[in-house]
Short mmCIF file of all heavy atoms in Angstrom, two decimals:
data_model
loop_
_atom_site.label_atom_id
_atom_site.label_comp_id
_atom_site.label_asym_id
_atom_site.label_seq_id
_atom_site.Cartn_x
_atom_site.Cartn_y
_atom_site.Cartn_z
N ARG A 282 20.83 51.07 2.90
CA ARG A 282 19.96 50.67 1.80
C ARG A 282 19.75 49.15 1.72
O ARG A 282 18.92 48.68 0.94
CB ARG A 282 20.52 51.16 0.46
CG ARG A 282 20.51 52.69 0.35
CD ARG A 282 21.10 53.15 -0.97
NE ARG A 282 20.47 52.57 -2.13
CZ ARG A 282 19.35 53.01 -2.70
NH1 ARG A 282 18.73 54.07 -2.19
NH2 ARG A 282 18.87 52.44 -3.77
N ARG A 285 21.29 42.93 5.82
CA ARG A 285 22.07 41.69 5.76
C ARG A 285 21.55 40.72 6.81
O ARG A 285 21.63 40.98 8.01
CB ARG A 285 23.56 41.98 5.99
CG ARG A 285 24.42 40.71 5.93
CD ARG A 285 25.92 40.96 5.95
NE ARG A 285 26.61 39.68 5.89
CZ ARG A 285 27.58 39.35 5.04
NH1 ARG A 285 28.04 40.24 4.18
NH2 ARG A 285 28.10 38.15 5.04
N ASP A 288 24.75 35.00 7.76
CA ASP A 288 25.28 33.68 8.07
C ASP A 288 24.17 32.74 8.53
O ASP A 288 24.22 32.19 9.63
CB ASP A 288 26.35 33.84 9.17
CG ASP A 288 27.31 32.66 9.20
OD1 ASP A 288 27.33 31.84 8.28
OD2 ASP A 288 28.07 32.57 10.20
N ARG A 289 23.22 32.50 7.65
CA ARG A 289 22.00 31.80 8.02
C ARG A 289 22.00 30.30 7.79
O ARG A 289 20.97 29.65 7.97
CB ARG A 289 20.81 32.46 7.29
CG ARG A 289 20.53 33.90 7.71
CD ARG A 289 20.12 33.97 9.17
NE ARG A 289 19.88 35.31 9.66
CZ ARG A 289 18.66 35.85 9.82
NH1 ARG A 289 17.59 35.18 9.47
NH2 ARG A 289 18.53 37.06 10.31
N ILE A 301 30.19 26.55 -5.52
CA ILE A 301 28.86 26.97 -5.97
C ILE A 301 28.63 26.37 -7.36
O ILE A 301 29.43 26.58 -8.26
CB ILE A 301 28.73 28.50 -6.03
CG1 ILE A 301 29.17 29.15 -4.72
CG2 ILE A 301 27.30 28.90 -6.39
CD1 ILE A 301 29.18 30.68 -4.75
N SER A 302 27.54 25.64 -7.48
CA SER A 302 27.15 25.07 -8.77
C SER A 302 25.76 25.58 -9.12
O SER A 302 25.02 26.04 -8.25
CB SER A 302 27.15 23.55 -8.70
OG SER A 302 28.43 23.06 -8.31
N ALA A 307 14.38 19.51 -14.52
CA ALA A 307 13.02 19.31 -15.01
C ALA A 307 12.04 19.56 -13.87
O ALA A 307 12.40 19.45 -12.69
CB ALA A 307 12.85 17.89 -15.55
N ASP A 386 27.53 23.27 -2.05
CA ASP A 386 27.81 21.99 -1.43
C ASP A 386 29.28 21.62 -1.62
O ASP A 386 30.05 22.39 -2.20
CB ASP A 386 26.86 20.89 -1.92
CG ASP A 386 27.02 20.53 -3.39
OD1 ASP A 386 27.87 21.13 -4.09
OD2 ASP A 386 26.29 19.64 -3.85
N ARG B 236 17.27 14.02 -14.95
CA ARG B 236 16.30 15.12 -14.91
C ARG B 236 16.93 16.47 -14.60
O ARG B 236 16.28 17.51 -14.69
CB ARG B 236 15.22 14.82 -13.86
CG ARG B 236 14.34 13.64 -14.26
CD ARG B 236 13.30 13.34 -13.18
NE ARG B 236 12.45 14.48 -12.87
CZ ARG B 236 11.38 14.86 -13.56
NH1 ARG B 236 11.03 14.19 -14.65
NH2 ARG B 236 10.65 15.88 -13.19
N ARG B 239 23.86 19.54 -13.83
CA ARG B 239 24.71 20.17 -12.82
C ARG B 239 25.83 20.91 -13.53
O ARG B 239 26.67 20.31 -14.20
CB ARG B 239 25.29 19.12 -11.87
CG ARG B 239 26.17 19.74 -10.79
CD ARG B 239 26.62 18.75 -9.71
NE ARG B 239 27.48 19.46 -8.77
CZ ARG B 239 27.34 19.49 -7.44
NH1 ARG B 239 26.37 18.81 -6.86
NH2 ARG B 239 28.16 20.19 -6.68
N ASP B 242 30.63 23.66 -9.87
CA ASP B 242 31.75 24.37 -9.25
C ASP B 242 32.17 25.56 -10.10
O ASP B 242 33.34 25.66 -10.51
CB ASP B 242 32.91 23.37 -9.07
CG ASP B 242 33.89 23.83 -7.99
OD1 ASP B 242 33.58 24.77 -7.24
OD2 ASP B 242 34.97 23.21 -7.90
N ARG B 243 31.26 26.50 -10.29
CA ARG B 243 31.47 27.56 -11.26
C ARG B 243 32.05 28.86 -10.69
O ARG B 243 32.14 29.85 -11.40
CB ARG B 243 30.12 27.86 -11.95
CG ARG B 243 29.63 26.71 -12.83
CD ARG B 243 30.60 26.45 -13.96
NE ARG B 243 30.22 25.34 -14.82
CZ ARG B 243 29.60 25.47 -16.01
NH1 ARG B 243 29.28 26.65 -16.45
NH2 ARG B 243 29.33 24.39 -16.74
N ILE B 255 26.53 31.62 4.15
CA ILE B 255 25.49 32.09 3.24
C ILE B 255 24.62 33.08 3.99
O ILE B 255 24.10 32.77 5.06
CB ILE B 255 24.61 30.93 2.73
CG1 ILE B 255 25.48 29.80 2.15
CG2 ILE B 255 23.61 31.44 1.69
CD1 ILE B 255 24.67 28.57 1.74
N SER B 256 24.48 34.27 3.43
CA SER B 256 23.62 35.30 4.01
C SER B 256 22.59 35.71 2.96
O SER B 256 22.77 35.45 1.77
CB SER B 256 24.46 36.52 4.41
OG SER B 256 25.47 36.15 5.34
N ALA B 261 17.33 47.96 -1.19
CA ALA B 261 16.55 48.96 -1.92
C ALA B 261 16.96 48.91 -3.39
O ALA B 261 18.06 48.49 -3.74
CB ALA B 261 16.79 50.34 -1.33
N ASP B 340 29.93 34.62 1.12
CA ASP B 340 31.18 35.34 1.37
C ASP B 340 31.75 34.95 2.73
O ASP B 340 31.21 34.09 3.42
CB ASP B 340 31.00 36.86 1.21
CG ASP B 340 30.11 37.49 2.27
OD1 ASP B 340 29.58 36.78 3.15
OD2 ASP B 340 29.93 38.72 2.21
#
Side-chain angles (χ1 to χ4, degrees):
Chain A
R282 294 179 56 83
R285 180 172 180 129
D288 201 12
R289 294 297 178 101
I301 308 175
S302 303
D386 66 359
Chain B
R236 293 178 57 82
R239 181 172 179 128
D242 202 11
R243 293 297 178 100
I255 308 175
S256 302
D340 67 359

